[in-house]
């Protein structure tokens, strides 16, 4: 039985393959993403792999990625 997918579902319960950015640092401070069955995207903190996952629609992820590519979030990077 697959878990119900909702914001805050324990990330370790999702039947997905997590992907970490190649830009992640060696201390493990990064965000991981996974494609969900049905097209959504889950996001988790790599330092807490069993912690809560945030669930996004494909349109939400597309808007975020396009904004990041365009530099809209550059001011948040240290």
């Amino acid at each position: 039985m697959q878990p119900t997918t909702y914001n805050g579902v324990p990330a370790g319960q999702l039947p997905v393959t997590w992907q970490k950015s190649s830009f992640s640092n060696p201390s493990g401070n990064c965000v991981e993403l996974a494609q969900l069955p049905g097209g959504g995207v889950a996001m988790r903190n790599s330092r807490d792999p069993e912690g809560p996952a945030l669930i996004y629609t494909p349109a939400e992820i597309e808007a975020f990625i396009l904004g990041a590519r365009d530099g809209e979030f550059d001011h948040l990077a240290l």
Side-chain angles (χ1 to χ4, degrees):
M1 181 174 164
Q2 290 190 358
T4 303
T5 305
Y6 58 90
N7 273 320
V9 65
Q13 292 182 10
L14 295 172
V16 297
T17 300
W18 293 95
Q19 180 179 347
K20 189 182 299 188
S21 170
S22 63
F23 290 93
S24 295
N25 65 39
S27 62
N29 296 324
C30 62
V31 173
E32 295 175 304
L33 300 173
Q35 183 86 37
L36 295 170
V41 175
M43 183 182 295
R44 74 177 179 182
N45 182 333
S46 66
R47 289 174 291 162
D48 189 11
E50 299 300 318
L54 297 176
I55 309 299
Y56 296 97
T57 66
E60 290 168 330
I61 289 296
E62 179 182 21
F64 174 76
I65 289 172
L66 291 174
R69 281 185 191 157
D70 210 28
E72 293 178 16
F73 307 107
D74 288 355
H75 67 285
L76 299 173
L78 299 176

